[in-house]
Amino acid sequence: MLVFWRYGYEATSLNDLTSAMGITPPSLYTAFGDKERLFLEAVDYYLEKKPCFFASIAAEALTAKEAIRSYLEVIAVSQSDPKQPPGCMVVTSATNCTAASSHVQEVLADYRMQMENGIKERLDRGISEGDLAADTDTAALASFLVTVIHGMSTQARDNASREKLLAIGAQAMRAWPDPL
């Protein structure tokens, strides 16, 4: 997971993977079939282990605004953690791939869309609970927030500090449509 996360899907070589795992290429193929399957399993593991799942934050927060603020803060902290590669594996690991890797790109795009849909659902709930203006375009707001999140990942890959990522999240919250 860490090798794919750090270097991306296509830039990660079989040698990189086998060296990191301490196995031979035949063992890798026996265990995982091919590089794509290993990558997709690494992404699943990443999604299972990373502490920044929106669903748990959304369930704990009292309001949609608190959920989004908390999520942006968790992302800033997680993506700047010096104990791991910077940024988000799902955002950065397969952005520049050849047509041969289109399936990998589609899978990651689907994961990113699931995140956006989850944010939109929480925003919709915020309207029904009265903590967002009734005329809020929740699809556009969710897309905006995901764009900020993806940008934070890019900033993290460019060695942005935790403080800078937190400031980006705080700035994004200034666009919040408070109820009328």
Side-chain angles (χ1 to χ4, degrees):
M1 176 191 77
L2 294 173
V3 174
F4 281 128
W5 187 357
R6 183 170 308 282
Y7 301 112
Y9 175 68
E10 284 197 351
T12 298
S13 70
L14 183 61
N15 186 52
D16 295 332
L17 293 168
T18 55
S19 293
M21 297 168 72
I23 61 173
T24 64
S27 296
L28 184 139
Y29 288 118
T30 299
F32 298 101
D34 60 16
K35 179 180 166 181
E36 180 178 316
R37 183 156 171 238
L38 174 58
F39 175 76
L40 295 175
E41 287 193 32
V43 170
D44 286 343
Y45 181 80
Y46 171 86
L47 291 171
E48 186 180 301
K49 298 297 179 190
K50 288 305 296 166
C52 56
F53 291 113
F54 182 71
S56 61
I57 292 170
E60 294 172 9
L62 296 176
T63 67
K65 186 174 186 176
E66 290 170 352
I68 298 300
R69 178 181 289 119
S70 294
Y71 190 44
L72 293 172
E73 289 171 358
V74 166
I75 287 170
V77 170
S78 175
Q79 292 185 5
S80 61
D81 184 344
K83 294 181 228 138
Q84 64 189 26
C88 172
M89 181 181 182
V90 174
V91 172
T92 63
S93 63
T95 54
N96 294 320
C97 292
T98 63
S101 300
S102 63
H103 179 254
V104 167
Q105 289 179 306
E106 290 168 9
V107 169
L108 293 181
D110 183 59
Y111 283 131
R112 292 188 299 266
M113 184 54 64
Q114 288 175 37
M115 177 181 59
E116 185 169 334
N117 290 340
I119 291 171
K120 183 187 179 308
E121 288 172 13
R122 182 60 184 98
L123 297 173
D124 290 340
R125 193 174 108 207
I127 287 176
S128 68
E129 293 172 351
D131 57 285
L132 259 175
D135 64 348
T136 300
D137 183 343
T138 57
L141 182 55
S143 293
F144 165 75
L145 292 165
V146 166
T147 300
V148 170
I149 291 164
H150 291 179
M152 289 170 71
S153 182
T154 300
Q155 289 279 329
R157 291 292 291 215
D158 290 344
N159 296 314
S161 67
R162 178 168 294 167
E163 293 73 24
K164 182 175 183 176
L165 297 178
L166 288 167
I168 291 167
Q171 185 63 41
M173 290 307 299
R174 289 184 178 86
W176 190 263
D178 287 317
L180 300 175

